[in-house]
Every structure is written in C-alpha cells, then in structure tokens.
Amino acid sequence: QIVFGGRWGGRLVTLDSSTELVNFDRNVGTTGWRLDSTQELSLKFTRPGMFLTPAVAVRQTNYWVDDPLPGEDEMLTRGLPIGSLDMGLKLEREKTRGNRSWVQTLEPRLLYVRVPFEDQSNLPVFDTILPDFNLVQLFRKYQFVGPDRIADTDQLSFGVTTRLVDAANGRERLTATLGQTR
C-alpha cells in the first residue's frame, strides 16, 4: 500500500488530494491492484460562530484484476463527480449556577451531498464495508467505508449538538447530538 495526500490553499480556497495504490494478494477472493484518487476543491467562508463550505470533487478508481473470469475485463475504472455543501452555527451562552460558571453551546449543522448513480456491479470489492449508522456516519459524505463502492446519493443530513463546558477549566462535561439523514 502506498498513500499520498496533501492539502493546499489558504483561508478561502483549499485543494485536498488523496491517492492510494494497493496490491491485494491473498488466498481467498479477487486479487489485483487498485488505484483510488480523490481531488476536492472547496471554498470555506467563516465568520465567528458560523461556517459555510461548498465543495466539488472528482473520485477516480482504477482496478487491474489478476485472472479475471472469462468475458470479464482485466482493467476496470470508475469516475464520479461529487458535490457537497456543509454549513453550521455555534451559539454560546454563559450560565451561572451557584458558584459555578458554565458555557452552553447550541450547534446546528447541515450537510448536503450529491453523488450521481453509476453501475458498479462489475467492480471487485477488496476491502469496502457498510458500517452501522452512528453519530460519526451522520456527517460523512460517503455511505461506505472504503473506495470499492460509492453510493449514489442526494441527501441532506441535519443535526444539532449541545455542549456544557465548565468555564473555570474548559473541561467539557456533557455533549448531546440529535440528527437525521434524509
């Protein structure tokens, strides 16, 4: 496995690049090479307590399969454009109860993701899984973990997080998030 990655840009424009080349050599299942590359250009608009990040990406995956079945190709490719819009607010208020001071936050967030459909049934699955839905999955752009499958989607994830922070030492005492993906 060889992994290359980088982030270039400034305060407003960012180019994120990640490329992975892997050779799958094993006793069971399909063997071969996979080259996966994602190039994402994003704009980040920030103000105190808020952010707005539109992004466009191209994800290209190439496979070179060892010993394909008769009638199947040795080299397979998939290229997908991906668009997203991520936005959120962070509102704070101070509260005093007895001799303790607290900071309570309210953090609403929206993530819109658009990935067009592409038939991927002919592509091998080397190491991709569909994880259980949990808090981490709520604001992920990709449904699957791993590059062998990219789910087509036109979805909106929305949620709100609240935190209770001890003002004296900055220690977070409580965090709660409620959200949904549609």
Side-chain angles (χ1 to χ4, degrees), residues 79-83 113-120 150-154:
L80 288 170
I82 297 153
V113 180
R114 172 79 173 110
V115 180
F117 173 79
E118 184 170 321
D119 184 10
Q120 302 169 58
I150 307 295
D152 61 295
T153 189
D154 190 11

Side-chain angles (χ1 to χ4, degrees), residues 24-64:
F24 291 90
D25 184 15
R26 52 194 177 189
N27 295 331
V28 177
T30 307
T31 61
W33 290 84
R34 179 185 68 211
L35 176 66
D36 182 58
S37 178
T38 303
Q39 310 305 317
E40 181 179 85
L41 184 64
S42 62
L43 300 172
K44 188 156 192 166
F45 302 100
T46 59
R47 293 282 183 259
M50 61 183 278
F51 70 92
L52 173 69
T53 309
V56 292
V58 175
R59 188 155 189 185
Q60 177 70 36
T61 309
N62 299 328
Y63 296 89
W64 295 271

Side-chain angles (χ1 to χ4, degrees), residues 6-178:
R7 174 175 280 177
W8 298 270
R11 292 177 37 166
L12 180 64
V13 179
T14 302
L15 174 65
D16 283 301
S17 177
S18 69
T19 301
E20 175 190 53
L21 177 64
V22 182
N23 180 19
F24 291 90
D25 184 15
R26 52 194 177 189
N27 295 331
V28 177
T30 307
T31 61
W33 290 84
R34 179 185 68 211
L35 176 66
D36 182 58
S37 178
T38 303
Q39 310 305 317
E40 181 179 85
L41 184 64
S42 62
L43 300 172
K44 188 156 192 166
F45 302 100
T46 59
R47 293 282 183 259
M50 61 183 278
F51 70 92
L52 173 69
T53 309
V56 292
V58 175
R59 188 155 189 185
Q60 177 70 36
T61 309
N62 299 328
Y63 296 89
W64 295 271
V65 178
D66 298 334
D67 302 320
L69 296 173
E72 291 188 358
D73 293 330
E74 184 177 293
M75 184 179 166
L76 306 163
T77 64
R78 175 197 59 219
L80 288 170
I82 297 153
S84 65
L85 180 62
D86 194 3
M87 63 185 101
L89 296 171
K90 185 172 184 179
L91 309 168
E92 295 181 355
R93 70 177 181 172
E94 291 185 30
K95 291 198 67 109
T96 303
R97 182 162 216 147
N99 60 352
R100 296 201 80 164
S101 293
W102 301 91
V103 175
Q104 181 185 13
T105 69
L106 187 64
E107 304 168 35
R109 183 175 175 189
L110 292 167
L111 173 65
Y112 173 73
V113 180
R114 172 79 173 110
V115 180
F117 173 79
E118 184 170 321
D119 184 10
Q120 302 169 58
S121 60
N122 65 331
L123 300 179
V125 178
F126 286 126
D127 63 352
T128 297
I129 63 167
L130 181 62
D132 294 334
F133 187 77
N134 59 35
L135 185 60
V136 174
Q137 290 293 104
L138 183 61
F139 292 109
R140 281 180 44 93
K141 291 181 184 179
Y142 302 111
Q143 180 180 354
F144 292 93
V145 176
D148 297 320
R149 294 293 178 266
I150 307 295
D152 61 295
T153 189
D154 190 11
Q155 73 181 30
L156 180 66
S157 298
F158 50 94
V160 63
T161 299
T162 185
R163 302 175 200 279
L164 194 57
V165 180
D166 189 330
N169 58 23
R171 187 176 265 162
E172 191 174 270
R173 298 294 181 174
L174 174 77
T175 301
T177 300
L178 186 62

